[in-house]
Amino acid sequence: RARSLVAQVLRMAASGDGGELHGMYERKLRALTLAAAAKRVLDPKLDTTWERYITVYLSHRDAVATDLACLVSSYDQEAPLAAARALDAKQADGGALPPLLAAPFVIADNLETSVGVTSAGLSFLDEWEAGVDGPLVEAAQAAGGLLIGKAVLSELSFATTGVNPTFGTPRNPHVRSLIAGGGVASAVAARFATFGLGIDGRGAGLRVPAALCGVVAFRPTIGRLPTTGSIAVSPTRDSAGIVARSVGDAYLIDAALTGSATAPAHEALPDMKPLAGITLAKPTGGFWDDLDEGVAAETARAIATLESKGVTFVDVDVDPSAAKGPGGEPFGESASVATTAIATSRAIGAALDGREAVTAVSEYFWERGARTSVLDIAAAVLAEPTLSRLHAQLRSDRSGFASLAESLDATVRGREALRVSLAAAMADAGAVAMVWPAVSRLPCTLAEAEADEGGELDAAFGRNASVAANAGMCSVVLPCGAAGAGAARLPVALELAMPAGSDEELLAVARAVEAALPAPQAPRGL
């Protein structure tokens, strides 16, 4: 295979087809993980510089981002090019290099930046400028990351389909007539950004889009990365998270952002965790129900592959109503506690979603000196096209609560029952993590998503992802296969979830799982 590739390169060089040869070089450079890219650019035997590296990414961004409708704004090339040249000079002088080196990244448009608009996908914020970089953006840039764009998200990152009538609906790089779920995942999958940052609340922000686009998403324990400097949708569930090409890259980015790693990327990856002997829990009660045929087939194939590598899977029953509360008594069934994790999570979402979103946006502007009433904010938020449709569904779902106080009490009770039942099921099985299909179906068309008046597609895409958020778990979504044939093959993903505070162990297990599965394919032509 290596000889064949060399022969192909020599033929192209002899024929004068420099354009095709250059394109091959650029695609291979953009395909590298952070650690592999660092090794290549830092190798004195190879004629590559950080300026050349970032130029390749910027050129590709300018070529494909508009067609994918994934960016609200693209920053000009001069700032990242100047930073890359400065890094080249520091490298030549033998200076200390930052952990992320010159990795180009994008952020969701609900993270504050010193330049440009921060809209959170809302039409009435299309001219709002925060004027400062939020702590997460500051940390990424201080670690060497080069910000090259802000990505489109659905209104308040609320719709798992990614639909946004104002700023456009991001397209899936694998098949552009299909949804991506969000612009961050689309940009990373299209390989013009090495990683992306955003807020993962209900699952719509990062994990569902990553599953649809065939990339990795890491939802850390709430508070591990800062959410200040963002327009939140659910303060009790929001977690600042990472979208990356691989779990190893997610590990390196997390380490750089938390300050636990200061060495350049190629020096910071730990040894791979052995996969044999790991036990994973497969929860019943809806997680594996109503899967698209391709999702069912690919997740089954992935589990069989992992079993052949020594992983043990244990089916577990998760019944929040039977979980025991602080007094030792079962929680019992109620408006927010059901006999399955999926039904309990849905009830929690019905109680939280609309109320938290309005309150969070109101508090954001109040903290910045805008004395806008909650009622005015609520009217503006619920006038947004997608949110107005979803509001009717959420209001119907809350009909079982007699009052707001009852809704709040039920939410606290439901989330604790969900958390306790998942942790108990894992412990009883001797499992290190839960595993389930990240998304139950393959991406739909943009037209289908835009016609989703009742929110059925939104609910279907977010069904499984909502559980980790509502239970306060940390989780990783990673590609496990592709369904379909030829150019229409679409990514399928698994989600691994652990109790809060297990972030390092989760990333280690997810990295080992990823290594045992087939490498995901890049979108055709990208």
Side-chain angles (χ1 to χ4, degrees):
R1 183 177 300 176
R3 285 195 296 270
S4 175
L5 179 60
V6 170
Q8 181 183 356
V9 170
L10 290 175
R11 283 197 302 272
M12 289 191 294
S15 65
D17 196 353
E20 186 175 352
L21 185 61
H22 183 69
M24 280 182 58
Y25 168 81
E26 291 192 344
R27 284 194 296 275
K28 288 185 177 297
L29 193 63
R30 289 187 289 103
L32 298 175
T33 64
L34 293 180
K39 289 179 181 178
R40 180 181 181 90
V41 180
L42 294 173
D43 188 340
K45 299 176 183 177
L46 300 174
D47 184 23
T48 307
T49 65
W50 291 115
E51 182 180 5
R52 176 72 181 278
Y53 178 71
I54 191 65
T55 298
V56 167
Y57 275 91
L58 291 169
S59 298
H60 188 54
R61 177 201 68 181
D62 294 345
V64 304
T66 299
D67 189 43
L68 291 171
C70 62
L71 293 185
V72 175
S73 56
S74 298
Y75 296 125
D76 65 46
Q77 295 194 5
E78 187 48 42
L81 285 172
R85 286 192 288 268
L87 187 62
D88 284 327
K90 180 179 285 190
Q91 179 179 321
D93 291 341
L97 302 179
L100 295 181
L101 298 166
F105 73 101
V106 298
I107 60 172
D109 190 30
N110 53 2
L111 296 180
E112 291 181 336
T113 48
S114 57
V115 177
V117 169
T118 301
S119 74
L122 299 170
S123 63
F124 69 89
L125 295 182
D126 62 350
E127 296 183 357
W128 165 252
E129 295 186 10
V132 294
D133 289 328
L136 187 62
V137 177
E138 280 188 335
Q141 293 183 119
L146 304 181
L147 180 60
I148 64 169
K150 295 192 82 169
V152 178
L153 67 164
S154 64
E155 296 157 356
L156 279 181
S157 194
F158 212 87
T160 58
T161 56
V163 168
N164 192 309
T166 301
F167 297 98
T169 300
R171 297 173 178 270
N172 196 308
H174 293 272
V175 178
R176 297 187 187 187
S177 61
L178 304 181
I179 61 167
V184 168
S186 179
V188 175
R191 299 193 169 187
F192 69 76
T194 57
F195 70 95
L197 301 174
I199 304 297
D200 189 277
R202 303 164 64 245
L206 299 178
R207 286 174 295 139
V208 170
L212 298 177
C213 292
V215 290
V216 169
F218 171 43
R219 173 192 167 86
T221 297
I222 294 172
R224 182 177 177 86
L225 299 178
T227 55
T228 52
S230 70
I231 301 177
V233 63
S234 177
T236 65
R237 294 174 292 176
D238 283 346
S239 174
I242 298 162
V243 173
R245 304 264 189 79
S246 69
V247 179
D249 278 2
Y251 170 88
L252 292 170
I253 297 157
D254 173 74
L257 295 176
T258 58
S260 62
T262 56
H266 67 297
E267 300 175 0
L269 269 178
D271 293 337
M272 187 78 71
K273 182 183 182 70
L275 193 60
I278 287 176
T279 297
L280 299 176
K282 286 176 56 186
T284 58
F287 287 92
W288 302 83
D289 296 345
D290 302 319
L291 303 181
D292 276 0
E293 183 178 345
V295 174
E298 290 304 311
T299 51
R301 184 176 291 112
I303 286 171
T305 298
L306 294 171
E307 285 179 326
S308 72
K309 304 290 185 180
V311 178
T312 299
F313 290 89
V314 179
D315 290 338
V316 296
D317 179 41
V318 180
D319 180 357
S321 69
K324 294 182 180 180
E329 296 296 321
F331 282 93
E333 290 189 66
S334 67
S336 67
V337 182
T339 58
T340 69
I342 294 292
T344 301
S345 185
R346 179 173 174 79
I348 294 166
L352 277 179
D353 288 343
R355 175 178 56 80
E356 275 207 315
V358 170
T359 303
V361 177
S362 300
E363 289 180 351
Y364 174 85
F365 285 104
W366 187 268
E367 290 169 355
R368 284 150 184 80
R371 297 300 183 248
T372 306
S373 75
V374 174
L375 291 178
D376 288 342
I377 290 291
V381 168
L382 296 177
E384 297 290 308
T386 305
L387 291 176
S388 65
R389 296 200 301 266
L390 291 174
H391 179 59
Q393 174 199 5
L394 295 170
R395 185 169 50 194
S396 172
D397 287 341
R398 282 201 302 270
S399 60
F401 300 117
S403 66
L404 178 60
E406 181 183 323
S407 172
L408 291 171
D409 180 68
T411 300
V412 173
R413 184 177 179 82
R415 294 184 73 179
E416 183 63 8
L418 184 61
R419 183 191 67 79
V420 171
S421 61
L422 286 163
M426 279 180 55
D428 291 345
V432 297
M434 288 281 186
V435 61
W436 53 67
V439 175
S440 64
R441 56 168 298 160
L442 298 171
C444 65
T445 66
L446 272 70
E448 289 171 328
E450 291 164 353
D452 185 31
E453 294 289 337
E456 289 85 2
L457 283 174
D458 177 75
F461 282 113
R463 183 192 73 184
N464 287 2
S466 71
V467 174
N470 286 324
M473 305 177 84
C474 53
S475 72
V476 167
V477 163
L478 57 89
C480 68
R489 287 178 65 76
L490 297 170
V492 175
L494 290 172
E495 181 167 13
L496 297 172
M498 288 188 185
S502 308
D503 302 82
E504 287 87 357
E505 184 181 8
L506 170 66
L507 288 167
V509 171
R511 187 168 164 235
V513 167
E514 177 188 59
L517 297 173
Q521 297 298 306
R524 188 177 292 268
L526 298 177

